[in-house]
Amino acid sequence: MASRLTGFNSGLDIGKSYYVATANPAPDHPALAGDVDADLVVVGGGCTGLSAALHAAERGLKVVLLEGGKIGWGASGRNGGQMIPGLRKGAKGLVKSFGPERAKALFDLAFEARGLVLDIIERHGIECDLRLNGHLVGAVSASDVRDFEEEAECLAKVMKFTDVEILSAAEARQMVDTPYQGAVYERLGGHMHPLNYTLGLARAAVGAGVVIHENSVAVRLEREPSTRVFTDKGSVRARHVVLAGDALLKGLEPRVNSRIMPVGNYIVATEPLDERNVIPANVAVSDTLFVVNYYRMSADGRLLFGGGERYTPSPPADIAGFVRPHMEKTFPQLKGCRIDHAWGGLVSVTTSRLPHVGHYSEVYFAHGYSGKGVILSTLSGKLLAEAITGDASRLDLFSTLTPLPFPGGTALRGPLYVLGMLWYAMRDRLRH
Ligand SMILES: Cc1cc2nc3c(=O)[nH]c(=O)nc-3n(C[C@H](O)[C@H](O)[C@H](O)COP(=O)(O)OP(=O)(O)OC[C@H]3O[C@@H](n4cnc5c(N)ncnc54)[C@H](O)[C@@H]3O)c2cc1C
């Protein structure tokens, strides 16, 4: 595992993550050396890139995947592991933006992600601590419960989806030991060990014939005379390119980059809690704060708690100290408990909180899941592969979600975004 600890994107301490400490054994893949040809070159070894590669290879394409660090090095191997079906924007928001018919088509497509991930886990025998006990959203204020009721009504009426339940404060408390005003319980949610899922996806891709090169940062994309992606030690010439670098991509294709903003987000894993278990229902949990707290139990009984965001590129010097106050505010009974692991990652958000998926001629991309990409990334990768191999209908539907670019372009998006976020963060403090 030592080779996972240094290099590309190492500033956010993936080496100190609970996931690295409990990763299944996985092979190293040699860096690209020299010039090669393929049908498809994928940039990025997270779930988007690996899924695109797997599904394209299953359809007969010769695929080379370039990963700048190690497989699972980005958000896919560091996230909260919360499997939350659907999009970050709720049913009401989708209907408002797209009208009932298209909203339902988008909802149904996004929902397919859950079945796809479960199918991949089963087909490829991926051991990733999968728990399908549901996802609970805890209301920090009474008005959130009214929002839940309206959302549930829209889900039932427009989306014909009834797998959600509104819980009273007392019912919510039986599932998670913190005083919410009420909650919505999404029965089809769950959680998993995201790094082990990503490593399993890589194994499946290699099994389908994909050639993976780690420690191979794509530094340049050339379109003429042929499409070619360069690293500092070689190149891959291919008919199609998938850019799946998400928050880490930087500059290879400016039109892709202008619509996402990387935001630092941090997680801790406590010591095993044994009888102090705070989530008796073993569900994945998040709350209604704008700077969301999200948490769940690990397979060995630790609380994995994510909370707090930073809008500067550098992580806090003491990640555990940064997250602990959020955790202890939610669970005062865990005050002073030991924190064994602390790490961070970059979440890519868009202006609409909906993903940015599509293509500029032969250059395909999918990113910007805005904190809801654990399962959506696998689906997006599959949609890219479908489009590349001749059926773009579902990618075209998903690409109607295209968010507006951030105001101020790549230079000013940071400062302007920070101002906006700080306002929302202050509002959170007044509510909570
Ligand atoms: C801390 C954190 C918590 C989260 N929690 C949740 C959660 O609980 N539930 C949920 O649904 N979503 C969550 N998310 C979001 C989710 O993890 C992401 O949306 C998803 O993993 C994105 O997958 P991806 O494959 O598109 O990107 P990534 O997994 O980031 O993969 C991109 C890969 O591309 C590589 N790369 C980038 N540029 C280059 C280059 N030029 N050359 C070569 N390689 C390159 C990177 O090294 C990286 O490995 C969280 C994210 C973070 C950071």
Side-chain angles (χ1 to χ4, degrees):
M1 236 343 134
S3 60
R4 293 196 177 281
L5 308 186
T6 54
F8 199 58
N9 190 30
S10 60
L12 290 154
D13 277 348
I14 191 172
K16 295 182 183 160
S17 86
Y18 166 77
Y19 302 130
V20 168
T22 53
N24 295 332
D28 288 330
H29 301 276
L32 177 71
D35 302 323
V36 298
D37 289 322
D39 299 316
L40 167 66
V41 53
V42 175
V43 177
C47 293
T48 302
L50 290 165
S51 169
L54 167 67
H55 289 101
E58 283 178 343
R59 288 166 170 73
L61 265 52
K62 183 177 175 197
V63 185
V64 174
L65 183 146
L66 303 174
E67 164 52 50
K70 304 294 290 179
I71 291 296
W73 201 255
S76 297
R78 309 162 173 254
N79 59 55
Q82 307 219 343
M83 301 166 67
I84 312 167
L87 295 157
R88 173 82 184 263
K89 199 175 221 157
K92 273 193 316 170
L94 286 178
V95 171
K96 193 166 164 212
S97 301
F98 301 105
E101 206 172 307
R102 193 132 59 92
K104 177 159 172 26
L106 287 163
F107 178 86
D108 289 347
L109 180 56
F111 206 82
E112 206 182 295
R114 178 184 188 270
L116 175 67
V117 167
L118 296 187
D119 178 57
I120 288 175
I121 290 173
E122 194 185 324
R123 241 178 340 120
H124 298 284
I126 301 176
E127 286 176 18
C128 58
D129 302 338
L130 180 67
R131 296 288 182 277
L132 294 175
N133 297 347
H135 171 243
L136 181 140
V137 188
V140 299
S141 80
S143 66
D144 295 331
V145 181
R146 285 193 293 279
D147 288 346
F148 291 160
E149 283 161 356
E150 287 174 16
E151 180 69 13
E153 199 182 312
C154 181
L155 278 170
K157 257 198 198 145
V158 183
M159 310 299 180
K160 313 291 175 217
F161 182 81
T162 52
D163 270 309
V164 294
E165 199 179 322
I166 308 296
L167 304 182
S168 67
E171 288 165 334
R173 191 80 190 240
Q174 284 181 351
M175 298 183 96
V176 50
D177 193 8
T178 187
Y180 288 127
Q181 305 288 316
V184 61
Y185 172 52
E186 301 166 333
R187 273 189 284 272
L188 300 183
H191 58 85
M192 66 166 160
H193 188 304
L195 179 57
N196 281 339
Y197 170 68
T198 309
L199 295 173
L201 201 52
R203 177 167 52 79
V206 170
V210 175
V211 175
I212 295 179
H213 295 291
E214 293 178 316
N215 298 312
S216 301
V217 179
V219 291
R220 189 159 59 88
L221 167 62
E222 194 176 85
R223 310 284 284 272
E224 301 289 339
S226 54
T227 310
R228 199 159 173 170
V229 175
F230 290 83
T231 69
D232 61 356
K233 296 210 172 58
S235 72
V236 186
R237 187 171 51 187
R239 179 139 176 244
H240 304 283
V241 181
V242 162
L243 298 180
D246 200 37
L248 298 163
L249 191 59
K250 294 188 198 105
L252 277 184
E253 167 44 273
R255 284 175 294 182
V256 172
N257 273 61
S258 65
R259 287 171 204 258
I260 60 162
M261 162 79 79
V263 174
N265 196 278
Y266 303 95
I267 308 186
V268 296
T270 65
E271 60 189 310
L273 294 178
D274 304 318
E275 68 288 346
R276 287 177 295 164
N277 180 349
V278 286
I279 317 178
N282 201 5
V283 289
V285 188
S286 52
D287 64 23
T288 51
L289 290 173
F290 184 79
V291 179
V292 64
N293 293 311
Y294 55 96
Y295 49 90
R296 67 184 181 89
M297 301 307 290
S298 66
D300 62 355
R302 300 163 191 275
L303 178 68
L304 302 195
F305 189 100
E309 286 182 344
R310 260 163 84 98
Y311 311 110
T312 57
S314 58
D318 172 11
I319 293 180
F322 179 74
V323 178
R324 185 187 278 279
H326 299 278
M327 181 184 81
E328 292 185 348
K329 188 159 188 185
T330 308
F331 296 114
Q333 63 271 46
L334 296 183
K335 209 168 181 54
C337 84
R338 204 179 69 225
I339 286 177
D340 285 345
H341 304 272
W343 68 98
L346 295 177
V347 180
S348 68
V349 298
T350 63
T351 47
S352 61
R353 302 296 185 270
L354 290 169
H356 180 216
V357 175
H359 67 109
Y360 296 112
S361 64
E362 71 290 344
V363 179
Y364 290 75
F365 56 85
H367 60 174
Y369 309 107
S370 303
K372 235 178 169 186
V374 163
I375 55 176
L376 217 43
S377 49
T378 300
L379 174 74
S380 299
K382 184 179 180 198
L383 299 185
L384 295 175
E386 285 175 5
I388 288 166
T389 52
D391 177 6
S393 55
R394 287 156 29 106
L395 184 74
D396 287 348
L397 172 62
F398 231 39
S399 68
T400 59
L401 296 173
T402 294
L404 291 170
F406 277 90
T410 42
L412 277 180
R413 66 181 175 172
L416 291 175
Y417 186 76
V418 170
L419 278 178
M421 293 304 98
L422 289 176
W423 186 83
Y424 282 112
M426 187 180 73
R427 212 178 57 152
D428 273 354
R429 280 197 285 279
L430 297 175
R431 293 172 75 213
H432 192 34

